[in-house]
Amino acid sequence: VAGIDLVLRGGTVITMDPGRRVVTDCTIACSDGTITYVGPDSEAPAAGDAVVVDTKGKYVIPGLVNTHSHLFQTMLKGLGDDRELVDWFRCMTGPSAAHLRAEDCETAALCGSLEALRSGTTCIVDFMYAHPRPALTDAVARGLTRSGIRSVLARGFNDAGSAGDVPPALVEPLDQILDDCRRVIELYHGAAGGRLTVRLAPCMIWSVSPEALLATRELATEAGVGITMHVAETPYELSVSNERYGMGDLAYLDSLGVLGPDFLAVHCVQVTEADIEVLAARGVCVSHNPTSNMYLASGVAPIPAMLAAGVPVGLACDGTASNNNHNMIESMKMASLLHKVSTRDPLVLTGEKALEMATIDGARSLGMDHLIGSIEPGKRADLVVVDLEASLFAGPVHYPVSSLVYSALGDEVDTVVVDGRVLLEHGEFVEHDPREVLAHCGAAARGLVDRAGTAWLRERPWRSVGARPDDAR
Ligand SMILES: [Zn+2]
């Protein structure tokens, strides 16, 4: 048995364990990336020559789990403001995605991962659906691995464009997709010391064929990897599905037999009561992206009804072209407030539930709750130290969960540990200079805008109340 090599001592630990214990004067001991002790300082095992992080006066939470992102969009912040999804995709995100190069994908994945880590996220799903060139998945994997974050590399794809909505450069032939999915699973599922895993990611009902959905199910089951897909995000998606298949996309996925507990359905904004029964009956998990749904005016996902039906729901930021950041602390507040106002029930999604969705429920929605999502012996050491008391925004602290969810901005995150490795210490990255990474990503972003022909969005005229979507063109 390896000895203790990392100790966090003295803080208040919000464990998110089954009893939701909050332990004061608490020590967490870790050995080779695994948590071995969580309990009173007075009973903690001897630290020996382990690295000791003093957490006195601070709070320790499990690393946050972001269940849906598109890291390449780190280069697209603010270009697609004030548009609904189809317009946003046609005029900005689609053309940008069609011009991605490997170096763009690597720098954006690194920069976006550092942003996530800086605000307390230790596990992120990257849904990478744009493959205008080969090997972009590999570039994303390099960026993720360099950051040190835990991640799920979702190999996304489109094998069918719908009436010209998807740029031809983003449509791949199905046999090529399946070959590359097999290659990506072989190469990256369990890579980076186990921090990297793979999922298959059909993009959305209007850009994939039924054959691709069936083949995805078959390969996922055979390889033991999960599936994730955008489902029922906008009325447009539903209308295409109804036109083609005579039913909504979730009902159609169910009719194909592709749903199951390893299926993470992203958004589920436009779902019916019957759809929620299907989600529950098939054990499907849901990724909730409140900020993105508000930003794109997509609607309000009926999350309270899903929770009542027992559907596991994780939280997410979505890509930074529709958020526009990777800050899960902000997303917890957005989730709680969105459902309070849409139901006029202040208890419908409490601060505590928002924190559950951002930790243990998110882990469960990814089938990773045996590894992460709470601070318990036997789990991986993905830990976040938050200095709430020292923040003008979060302090003075009466009830730490409230301060974290409703007051904090994200930069209260002081120390971040992933898999037992300290990546951020007192707000500073141990191995990266964020200014350097940002400069690199910024240069790539400007190059991408020039190649994609979206510079007009950077130079758009001022739009105030009463503007029409095409006023900026
Ligand atoms: Zn998405």
Side-chain angles (χ1 to χ4, degrees):
V1 180
I4 295 170
D5 49 30
L6 177 68
V7 169
L8 281 70
R9 181 190 284 153
T12 297
V13 178
I14 302 171
T15 62
M16 305 308 288
D17 70 4
R20 300 291 185 261
R21 286 183 314 141
V22 177
V23 186
T24 54
D25 303 315
C26 183
T27 288
I28 301 168
C30 310
S31 176
D32 200 20
T34 301
I35 299 170
T36 55
Y37 173 85
V38 183
D41 295 330
S42 55
E43 291 163 32
D49 53 6
V51 172
V52 178
V53 178
D54 180 10
T55 56
K56 212 160 193 50
K58 297 171 187 166
Y59 298 87
V60 189
I61 59 171
L64 305 177
V65 179
N66 184 347
T67 56
H68 185 70
S69 183
H70 309 282
L71 285 163
F72 78 84
Q73 294 180 9
T74 305
M75 295 180 289
L76 307 179
K77 288 178 181 175
L79 288 175
D81 293 342
D82 310 321
R83 293 172 187 279
E84 60 172 26
L85 183 122
V86 176
D87 181 29
W88 168 92
F89 189 78
R90 275 185 193 140
C91 82
M92 195 283 285
T93 310
S96 305
H99 285 85
L100 286 173
R101 295 174 178 167
E103 53 271 35
D104 303 324
C105 294
E106 182 171 348
T107 188
L110 174 61
C111 193
S113 299
L114 294 188
E115 180 191 359
L117 286 163
R118 185 66 190 80
S119 47
T121 294
T122 56
C123 179
I124 192 164
V125 178
D126 188 56
F127 191 125
M128 177 53 180
Y129 59 80
H131 302 279
R133 297 182 165 70
L136 298 190
T137 309
D138 307 78
V140 173
R142 280 195 298 278
L144 287 165
T145 304
R146 283 172 62 198
S147 78
I149 203 166
R150 187 182 302 282
S151 57
V152 178
L153 191 57
R155 203 302 187 182
F157 60 82
N158 309 286
D159 76 316
S162 156
D165 289 333
V166 181
L170 300 186
V171 180
E172 301 170 88
L174 181 55
D175 54 346
Q176 184 183 307
I177 292 167
L178 293 172
D179 284 348
D180 196 56
C181 285
R182 284 190 200 95
R183 182 188 72 86
V184 167
I185 292 168
E186 179 74 33
L187 213 50
Y188 298 114
H189 192 55
R195 279 186 291 112
L196 198 57
T197 53
V198 171
R199 274 190 177 233
L200 303 181
C203 198
M204 49 207 168
I205 200 74
W206 42 286
S207 69
V208 294
S209 67
E211 296 71 35
L213 290 165
L214 290 168
T216 299
R217 173 76 273 168
E218 198 180 337
L219 177 56
T221 302
E222 174 197 311
V225 301
I227 300 173
T228 184
M229 179 174 171
H230 298 101
V231 175
E233 182 175 4
T234 65
Y236 177 77
E237 232 168 292
L238 274 196
S239 69
V240 171
S241 185
N242 275 311
E243 220 166 89
R244 275 189 209 165
Y245 307 119
M247 60 188 104
D249 52 353
L250 188 77
Y252 184 62
L253 292 169
D254 191 38
S255 77
L256 289 180
V258 302
L259 299 176
D262 62 350
F263 193 106
L264 180 67
V266 180
H267 298 303
C268 294
V269 175
Q270 317 290 332
V271 289
T272 61
E273 275 172 41
D275 288 334
I276 293 173
E277 277 170 33
V278 167
L279 291 171
R282 305 287 173 252
V284 174
C285 302
V286 168
S287 167
H288 179 38
N289 297 249
T291 313
S292 175
N293 298 158
M294 288 191 272
Y295 178 94
L296 295 170
S298 299
V300 183
I303 298 299
M306 294 179 206
L307 296 176
V311 175
V313 180
L315 196 60
C317 295
D318 207 348
T320 49
S322 65
N323 182 299
N324 291 346
N325 63 39
H326 279 117
N327 185 344
M328 283 288 288
I329 290 179
E330 182 185 86
S331 285
M332 287 195 284
K333 181 172 180 175
M334 293 287 184
S336 182
L337 298 189
L338 173 61
H339 297 290
K340 286 182 207 303
V341 73
S342 67
T343 60
R344 292 199 282 176
D345 176 358
L347 283 171
V348 76
L349 209 160
T350 59
E352 289 92 336
K353 186 63 202 174
L355 184 56
E356 289 176 357
M357 288 168 69
T359 55
I360 188 67
D361 294 358
R364 186 175 164 213
S365 76
L366 294 173
M368 293 171 74
D369 51 328
H370 59 298
L371 291 174
I372 57 170
S374 64
I375 302 177
E376 296 178 75
K379 288 206 176 179
R380 302 307 293 167
D382 289 7
L383 304 165
V384 171
V385 182
V386 195
D387 195 358
L388 296 171
E389 308 271 2
S391 161
L392 278 172
F393 298 97
V397 178
H398 294 290
Y399 182 67
V401 173
S402 172
S403 305
L404 181 70
V405 172
Y406 295 124
S407 301
L409 298 182
D411 61 354
E412 296 81 358
V413 170
D414 174 89
T415 297
V416 174
V417 177
V418 176
D419 224 30
R421 261 175 79 203
V422 179
L423 302 183
L424 186 87
E425 201 172 14
H426 303 313
E428 302 288 336
F429 283 98
V430 175
E431 287 172 21
H432 295 279
D433 177 355
R435 283 160 302 188
E436 208 174 284
V437 173
L438 267 172
H440 201 260
C441 186
R446 285 184 292 278
L448 179 60
V449 163
D450 291 342
R451 293 198 306 280
T454 53
W456 62 275
L457 286 163
R458 215 160 49 189
E459 289 140 20
R460 63 193 185 230
W462 188 275
R463 287 179 297 169
S464 188
V465 173
R468 288 165 307 152
D470 54 359
D471 282 355
R473 287 184 196 249

Coordinates of all heavy atoms in Angstrom, one line a residue, residues 68 70 230 267 318, ligand 1:
H68 N -21.4 19.0 -20.1 CA -21.5 19.3 -21.5 C -20.8 20.6 -21.9 O -21.0 21.7 -21.4 CB -23.0 19.5 -21.9 CG -23.2 19.6 -23.4 ND1 -23.0 18.6 -24.3 CD2 -23.6 20.7 -24.1 CE1 -23.3 19.1 -25.5 NE2 -23.6 20.3 -25.4
H70 N -18.3 22.4 -25.5 CA -17.7 22.3 -26.8 C -16.4 23.3 -26.7 O -16.5 24.5 -26.9 CB -18.6 22.8 -27.9 CG -19.9 22.2 -27.9 ND1 -20.1 20.9 -28.4 CD2 -21.1 22.6 -27.5 CE1 -21.4 20.6 -28.3 NE2 -22.1 21.6 -27.7
H230 N -27.4 15.9 -28.3 CA -28.3 17.0 -28.0 C -29.7 16.5 -28.3 O -30.0 15.9 -29.4 CB -28.0 18.2 -29.0 CG -26.7 18.8 -28.8 ND1 -25.6 18.5 -29.7 CD2 -26.2 19.7 -27.9 CE1 -24.5 19.2 -29.3 NE2 -24.9 19.9 -28.2
H267 N -29.8 18.9 -22.8 CA -30.8 19.9 -22.9 C -32.2 19.4 -22.5 O -32.7 19.8 -21.5 CB -30.9 20.6 -24.3 CG -29.6 21.3 -24.6 ND1 -29.1 22.3 -23.8 CD2 -28.7 21.2 -25.7 CE1 -28.0 22.7 -24.3 NE2 -27.7 22.1 -25.5
D318 N -22.4 24.2 -21.3 CA -22.4 24.2 -22.7 C -21.2 25.0 -23.3 O -20.4 25.5 -22.5 CB -23.7 24.8 -23.3 CG -24.1 24.3 -24.6 OD1 -23.3 23.6 -25.3 OD2 -25.3 24.5 -25.1
Ligands
ZN1 ZN -24.0 21.6 -27.0

